[in-house]
Amino acid sequence: MTFHRRCLVAAALAAVAVGAEAAVPCSADTVPADGLAQADIAVRCRGEWSLVWDFTDSANFNRAEVKTRLAADDIYGGRSTVSVYAVKDGKSTLVGRRDVTHGENMTGLRLTRNIEGEVRLVAGDNTPVGFDVPFAGIPGSLVFAGPEKRIVYKNVEMIPMVHDEPARFETEEQLTQYLAASKDSIEGVWEYQDRNMPAGKIVPGGSYELVVVLLPESDAYGIYYLRGGNIYADRWKMFMRKGTLTPTVFSGNFDLEWIDAARARKLSRENYATLTMDDALLTLSFPLLNTVMRFRRKL
């Protein structure tokens, strides 16, 4: 982290610190630049403290503030109040508040964001807070807790979305002009035709329209998204990379790498693709998932 970012973190901690103890700079974790596919953030601290996330500057972030109501002893557990605030343009809004119990003189928070984008915050003795918690996973934003000297345990896992390798086209007009001049029968625009997949086990990401073009200085082909996503559609933009076709020794047969709808994983193990019907039908096969998707040539 740069000195400037450390100063921002210190300033934010000073702004949200509870109790008389002054906040100190702490090590922050940065949300990956490609976006957040999943996150699991667990922290335990003594006394009164805050967890901050989606921090872009000292006027825009989310925080959970922990205040001790009753310290734990040999007979009774401790009690704390967890309050979640959303700070936007310097204005702090209470999102929700929950009293929790804990067995030691420290309170834990665990903030998770799963592959579907669902957010969960549990506190104390694993108690869900019971209200919706904002967690946008803004690329490049910071996650930190403090004051740092009160941290007993901290573990932050953030899984990035698959890095995008966009096509060299900026508009569909440029793509159309390129394909009009192409003599490669594999290149083209492919639209969804049908699928065969286990009901209830595999959920299709959408009725995709895809572009296949030869990669620069390579014998492999890039598969790019055009439109048609239904699940996680907000994670996809035109000409984002959806996969790769690598020719094998067999004509019309390719090794297939495929990026899932959530942009969380690259699937490649035993996947393959075939071109049939005079290069008019592209079949993508995922044997380990017992799934086949077929696309017909549009252009």
Side-chain angles (χ1 to χ4, degrees), residues 10-241:
L13 280 172
V16 303
V18 291
E21 186 174 1
V24 296
C26 71
S27 59
D29 295 274
T30 303
V31 174
D34 290 304
L36 194 63
Q38 300 178 71
D40 189 342
I41 301 161
V43 185
R44 290 198 303 271
C45 294
R46 293 187 176 91
E48 301 182 353
W49 59 284
S50 291
L51 173 66
V52 179
W53 66 95
D54 283 339
F55 179 89
T56 55
D57 57 47
S58 57
N60 295 277
F61 55 89
N62 297 311
R63 84 176 190 271
E65 179 184 273
V66 177
K67 287 190 175 183
T68 302
R69 297 301 184 191
L70 178 66
D73 57 29
D74 293 338
I75 300 176
Y76 299 103
R79 286 186 175 274
S80 294
T81 297
V82 177
S83 304
V84 176
Y85 298 88
V87 180
K88 185 174 182 180
D89 297 330
K91 181 180 179 181
S92 182
T93 302
L94 177 66
V95 175
R97 179 173 285 143
R98 177 67 186 265
D99 289 336
V100 298
T101 59
H102 47 89
E104 301 174 319
N105 280 319
M106 64 183 75
T107 309
L109 293 177
R110 184 177 183 186
L111 176 67
T112 59
R113 187 172 185 264
N114 67 17
I115 200 169
E116 285 82 25
E118 297 169 341
V119 178
R120 189 168 185 256
L121 178 66
V122 298
D125 292 333
N126 206 33
T127 302
V129 295
F131 50 83
D132 291 337
V133 174
F135 186 6
I138 302 167
S141 62
L142 303 181
V143 176
F144 54 91
E148 189 173 29
K149 66 171 64 176
R150 297 187 180 183
I151 297 175
V152 176
Y153 171 85
K154 177 184 176 185
N155 185 60
V156 177
E157 296 181 15
M158 292 190 284
I159 301 175
M161 292 187 189
V162 174
H163 177 66
D164 182 38
E165 301 174 65
R168 54 187 179 274
F169 314 106
E170 294 184 357
T171 66
E172 286 192 76
E173 182 180 5
Q174 291 178 354
L175 170 65
T176 301
Q177 291 174 353
Y178 172 85
L179 292 177
S182 174
K183 304 299 183 183
D184 191 328
S185 62
I186 300 171
E187 294 186 310
V189 175
W190 300 85
E191 60 183 0
Y192 172 82
Q193 174 155 307
D194 56 26
R195 68 178 184 268
N196 185 357
M197 57 181 57
K201 294 184 178 180
I202 304 296
V203 179
S207 299
Y208 294 125
E209 192 168 309
L210 305 172
V211 177
V212 176
V213 293
L214 187 67
L215 294 173
E217 301 179 1
S218 174
D219 62 352
Y221 294 81
I223 306 173
Y224 298 94
Y225 175 85
L226 264 186
R227 58 182 62 87
N230 295 327
I231 298 177
Y232 311 114
D234 60 327
R235 301 185 185 184
W236 292 93
K237 295 181 175 58
M238 185 179 293
F239 299 134
M240 292 180 73
R241 184 77 160 267

